[in-house]
Every structure is written in C-alpha cells, then in structure tokens.
C-alpha cells in the first residue's frame, strides 16, 4: 500500500543492499536457549563499533530464538496481514540456519526501530507497506540465520571436541562423521556463550533448498485451515470489556452533546464515554454494547463538516481536469508543438470513485494498563513506532513503557497504516476514560469500518495523445485531479512543488518512448479522509494510461501489443513480461468464439506485471471475465507459490474494484455500510488465472500490490472489443448501467 517512493523522503542513500558493516550482530542466552539479532545502524557505520559483545544486548532485539526443545522462532519486523511476509522471512532464516521447517514459527516484533527499521524507508521507522517486506528482510534475516548456525556449530564443536569445519548442519540436526549428532535444542544454551561472528558467509543460489522452492508450503497453513490462528478479534483477557463506537455521520463533525441514560440502564452496559473520536459504549461483551449503542442519542456539531455529495465533488473534478493543472510533475520535449503538428489527436477523460479497503477483519485494538505502569496493546500494528508514541502520550507514560503485541490481521490493504493511531488510539482513550480499571477491546462493526473514511481517493484524469502520419505516438498529456494522501501527515515532505507523488506515480514514469509528454496535477481540498489503498496511485494511473493507450493504438491502426512493444526497449523488463504474457495467452492465435482479449502492463513497487484478460459478453450487456494470463518480474521469487498467490489475490482485489466497488456520499454522508451495497468480487466472478514468474537473479521487489494495477485496463480493453464501448467511469457497473 505505501508507495515505493518512500525512500525519497527519509534517507535516499539507503538501499536494500546494505553492506555487512551496516550491521552489528549480537546474541545472548535466554531462560530457555539462544537469541540472535542484528542492529541496523541509523548513523554512519564508520561512526559505530565494528563489533558487538554479548553484553551489548540492549542495542538490538533478537531476530531468531531457539529454545531447548529445538523450536525456532523468528521475530519479524514486518506485519503479517495475509500477504505472506512471515512465511517469506521464515524461509530466509531457515535457509541459512538449515532449520527443520516443521519447527519454525514467526511472531511479530516491535519496540526497537534501530533493530526493526524498514530499510526501504531509510531505517528511520518500522513499518510494513509499499510491498517492501522482502526487500527490507532479504539481507539481514539471512545473516541472522547464518550467524545462528555458526554459533550452534561452535557450541557442538566445543561439546564434542571436534573441529567446527567437520560439522554439518541439515534440517535442524548437527552431525559429525564420528557419528555424533544432535538437534538445535541440545546446543542452544551453550551457543549463546560462543563468540559472535562478525562476518558470515551466505549460501550461493545453487545451494538453496528453500529459497525459490515452489513446493515449500506455508508454515502457518494448517492453523489457518483449522481455525486456531489467533487474530486481534480473538483476544480475550481476564475481565476484558468490549467497546463499540458511534462516529460522526459526517467527516469533520464533532460531538455537541449526548444522552446515554437509556444505554446505561441496560444490564451489562458498563459505561458510555466520550473520546476525541466519538462516543464509546462499553459493555461486558460486544452484544450488550451493541444493544446499548442503539439507544444512545447524539447531537453533532457539523459546522466544520464536509457536506458535499459525490455528484458535486465529481462535477468539480471534471471542471478542474478541463483546466490547466496547478502543478507539473513531468514535462519532456515540446508538447504544444508536437500536438500542433500531429496528424491525429485523441482525447479521453476517466473518473475513479472513492474505494474502501474492506478487510475481512474490521478494525480492532485491545489495551490494558498493568500494575507496573506498563501499557499493553494488542492489534494490527502496521506502523508500531507511531502507535507506541501516541499511546504513551495519551496514557501519560514514556513510549518505552508501551508494549505492543503485533497480532496477525485478517487483511489491511493499507488500512492499518495510519499516522493518527486510529482504532489503537481509541482503545487507549476508552481504557483511560474508565480509569484503566479493566482491559478494553474496541471492536468496529462493518458499518464503522465502511463509513470510517481513509478511502482510496477519488480521481479524474484528462488525457490527450497525438500521433503522426505513420501512427507513431509523438505527444502525450495527462492531467490528474484528486486529493493528496500525504499532505498533513508525517510524509508531507514528499510533496514537492505542489506534487504529491502518490497521486501521479504510474503516470509520470511511463516506460514508453514518447518524445513529448507532460503530466500535471491539481490537488483538491475535500474533507473526506483518504489513505493509501493496495497499489496506491497506480490503481488509477495505470488504468487511465493503459486503457487510453489502447484507444491510441486503435487510432493508429496498430495491434495493442505490437504498439506497446514498438515503444519499449526490446530487452526491458516491460517488454519481456509483455511478450511472455502474450505468448502464454496465445495473443497471436485466433481468440475462441465468444471471447475477447485485452492487454495491459504496469510497473509498481519495483515489479513489472503484464495481464492478458479474456472476457465474454453476457445477455444483460455486461461482461464476464473468463481468464487472466499474467507474467510477472518481481526479482528473485523467494516463495514462488506465494508470489503466484499474491498475483491471483491482486487480480481478484482489482477486479472487484473496477467491476462494482465504490464509496459514494449524499450530502457528505457515506451511502454504503456493508457488503450489500459495497460489492467486492464474489467467488463466482473470479476468473481462471495463470501466473508466469520470470526467473531473476535480482533482489526481491514488491509482489503484494503489483498484480492490481494492470487488471482493470486489461479487462476494460477486452470489454471494448466485446461491447464496442470504452469504459472510462469506474466502476464498470456504473458505465454500463447494470
């Protein structure tokens, strides 16, 4: 969700390939075994010590622990919300450690930015987003696994009185030609007393057994299948109370007064309290809290609220898109002269609605103040450092006394990556209003979640293209209109010269050789809260560019695939994935009767994905997506099966958005509250999907999001062939009036 241009706002010099000198390694004995970790330096490596001692344990948190039973626990800096980051990080550690895969577990870690800072964000904060989990983990978690193995070998060498070089490690067992052998647990405690290796040698690709292994199954599949996996919604603490929220019906409104007397009379309702974000009804359980919520009356101060509806907002956007942009994000060549000299000029406009993240698990958080003055918080901590600081401020304690339990989460798609703490802040506020006398879980309902804002912004695009007498694209213009995601946030520094890069990413870096092009941006001021949404700016920019490009190809009399290839370097990543997708889809062969094909290719989060969509026409004048053939270059595929799953999931997610999803407002109030009116893709609408992964020796790039951007335009381009109508207003259901 968070864009891949984060590095431009923090420490641009820090890349994924950090040198060994950028890490300090350390280890210490635990009550049951060994813990090993790295310290990612935020200062210059030259200013730090070259080595770390066993006593230097305060400087880092461990990445790997091994107990006396041989269980290997990986402490992940990355948040698991279904994208498979835990599995990928476990693979990196297990590969270098030579662990038994059946003994691996992964837990979320937080509270030490020096240890867990995201490399892609310059190491300045811990965060999961922008499809950077494998990028930030690739080096340090392999090194942690390798260092742990070296220390276990050293322990076995000392125990057995044999040279370390004669000891082999495989599948969790240390062995010596003499016949001596033992599991990790046997040597864990002794290993903690061994010298910490300053340098470790990582395996070569030809030695890998787990990295790149398409047959390696996720370590957590069984407990997800049998229902034993624990999420925040499952947290139950002794004496815990449950709170449900009443939020303002209009964005920007505030509580003027409320009457909770009827609610307080209901047995099991403990209290009704006002917090900065609304009214919380606190009960012994969620059911009674919901019953209490039904009888609370609130008077709202709407003087500062956003009261415009969708028709008024989109009318404003259309008017702005027709005018010159307020800022220029890119300008190459002499665009005006190129248009004037063009043999043919094509124009089109596109509109995109607000979109909700709609994760399966609505937002929630649990807070408990302990007798020792520490505050524990259970939740989906996508930006843990921020939540730790905010919670400490509310509770009146130092951030270091806030203990975060990083729970697995049933989806996020960017929704939990907020800088005001959102539901985490709510749980602390409610617990504080109760005098911290009991643990409190704040659990949002689906309606809270759907109407809670933080949407993918609405956008309008105005595009124009010029082609010469030979059908060559010589001029291109795109004016983007929409809200800024990062303004007035911790990432506000990303806005340069009036350009929020999250609004135009994917538009200002088209891979095509167009000699004259301009990308403009007009940022609107609207009171609807917005946030990054899976694949961020590319959700709309890729659609507008790739759908319009098909219109240009038609005007030029060119095949859509050949037209794109003619503007790409033959050996570029875009050209290679496009050719692979076309080949696997049989683009050069006649399409089956009743089927129609469309194509799109897009780069996002360091990866390039091409989709070929195959659709059929339904009797009601709509289309059914029958098949998607995808080719992806995401660098080295650590878990090929997971890469495939993420592309498949991204296709389903993107299809739901373009076919039927939209958040609309009437006089400022959100119309949709549940999945009856907000309609993600249903299972019977999911097409057959084929995913082809390019072999690559490059470092891993993003995969959680790049499957989303090209699916919309590929389907739209196929739909044009099926219906004879260009789809430029999202969702399709609105454009096709079905």
């Amino acid at each position: 969700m968070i864009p891949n241009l984060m590095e431009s706002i923090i420490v641009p010099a820090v890349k994924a390939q950090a040198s060994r000198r950028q890490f300090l390694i350390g280890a210490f004995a635990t009550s049951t075994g060994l813990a090993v970790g790295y310290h990612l330096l935020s200062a210059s490596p030259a200013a730090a010590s070259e080595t770390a001692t066993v006593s230097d344990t305060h400087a880092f948190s461990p990445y790997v622990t091994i107990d006396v039973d041989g269980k290997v626990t990986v402490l992940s800096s990355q948040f698991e919300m279904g994208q498979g980051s835990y599995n990928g990080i476990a693979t990196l550690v297990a590969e270098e450690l030579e662990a038994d895969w059946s003994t691996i577990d992964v837990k979320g870690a937080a509270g030490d930015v020096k240890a867990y800072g995201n490399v892609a964000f310059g190491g300045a904060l811990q965060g999961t987003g922008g499809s950077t989990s494998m990028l930030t983990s690739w080096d340090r978690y392999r090194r942690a696994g390798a260092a742990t193995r070296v220390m276990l070998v050293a322990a076995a060498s000392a125990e057995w009185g044999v040279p370390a070089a004669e000891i082999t490690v495989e599948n969790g067992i240390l062995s010596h030609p003499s016949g001596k052998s033992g599991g990790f647990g046997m040597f864990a405690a002794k290993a903690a007393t061994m010298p910490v290796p300053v340098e470790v040698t990582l395996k070569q690709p030809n030695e890998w057994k787990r990295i790149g292994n398409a047959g390696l199954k996720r370590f957590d599949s069984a407990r997800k299948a049998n229902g034993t996996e624990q999420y925040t919604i499952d947290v139950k603490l002794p004496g815990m109370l449950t709170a449900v929220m009443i939020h303002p019906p209009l964005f920007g409104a505030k509580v003027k007064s409320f009457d909770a007397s009827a609610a307080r009379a209901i047995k099991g309702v403990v209290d009704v309290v006002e917090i900065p974000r609304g009214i919380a009804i606190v009960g012994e359980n969620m059911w009674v809290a919901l019953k209490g919520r039904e009888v609370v009356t609130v008077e709202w101060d709407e003087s500062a609220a956003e009261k415009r509806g969708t028709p008024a907002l989109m009318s404003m956007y259309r008017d702005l898109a027709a005018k010159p942009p307020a800022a220029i994000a890119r300008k190459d060549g002499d665009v005006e002269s190129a248009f004037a000299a063009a043999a043919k000029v094509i124009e089109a406009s596109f509109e995109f609605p607000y979109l909700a993240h709609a994760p399966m698990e609505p937002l929630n958080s649990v807070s408990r103040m302990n007798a020792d003055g520490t505050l524990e918080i259970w939740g989906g901590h996508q930006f843990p450092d921020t939540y730790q600081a905010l919670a400490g401020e509310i509770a009146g304690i130092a951030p270091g006394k806030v203990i975060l339990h990083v729970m697995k989460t049933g989806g996020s798609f960017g929704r939990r990556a907020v800088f005001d703490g959102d539901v985490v802040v709510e749980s602390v506020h409610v617990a504080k209003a109760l005098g911290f006398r009991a643990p409190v879980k704040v659990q949002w309902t689906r309606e809270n979640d759907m109407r809670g804002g933080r949407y993918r912004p609405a956008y309008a695009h105005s595009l124009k293209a010029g082609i010469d007498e030979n059908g060559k694209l010589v001029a291109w213009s795109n004016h983007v209109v929409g809200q800024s995601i990062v303004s007035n946030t911790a990432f506000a520094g990303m806005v340069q010269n009036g350009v929020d890069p999250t609004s135009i990413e994917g538009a200002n870096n088209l891979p095509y050789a167009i000699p004259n092009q301009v990308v403009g941006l007009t940022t609107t001021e609207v009171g609807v809260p917005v946030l990054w949404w899976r694949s961020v700016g590319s959700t709309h920019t890729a659609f507008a560019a790739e759908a319009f490009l098909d219109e240009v190809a038609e005007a030029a009399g060119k095949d859509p695939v050949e037209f794109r290839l003619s503007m790409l370097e033959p050996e570029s990543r875009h050209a290679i994935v496009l050719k692979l997708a076309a080949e696997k889809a049989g683009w050069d062969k006649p399409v089956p009767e009743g089927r129609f094909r469309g194509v799109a290719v897009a780069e996002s989060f360091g990866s390039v994905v091409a989709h070929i969509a195959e659709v059929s026409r339904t009797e009601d004048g709509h289309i059914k997506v029958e098949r998607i053939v995808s080719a992806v270059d995401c660098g080295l595929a650590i878990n090929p099966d997971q890469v495939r799953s993420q592309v498949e999931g991204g296709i389903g997610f993107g299809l739901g958005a373009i076919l039927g999803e939209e958040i609309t407002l009437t006089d400022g109030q959100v119309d949709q509250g549940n999945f009856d009116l907000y309609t993600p893709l249903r299972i019977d609408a999911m097409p057959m999907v084929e995913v082809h992964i390019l072999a690559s020796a490059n470092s891993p790039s993003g995969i959680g999001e790049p499957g989303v951007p090209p699916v919309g335009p590929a389907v739209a381009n196929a739909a044009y062939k099926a219906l004879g109508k260009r789809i430029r207003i999202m969702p399709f259901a609105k454009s096709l009036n079905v």
Side-chain angles (χ1 to χ4, degrees), residues 406-420:
V406 183
M407 303 298 295
K408 300 175 187 71
T409 294
S412 175
F413 314 116
R415 182 60 184 86
R416 290 182 183 264
V418 292
F419 280 92
D420 65 355

Side-chain angles (χ1 to χ4, degrees), residues 241 270-273 282 428-440:
L241 303 174
V270 174
D271 206 345
V272 180
V273 296
V282 186
V428 181
H429 271 302
V430 176
K432 181 180 180 181
L434 298 176
F436 291 116
R437 69 177 185 265
V440 174

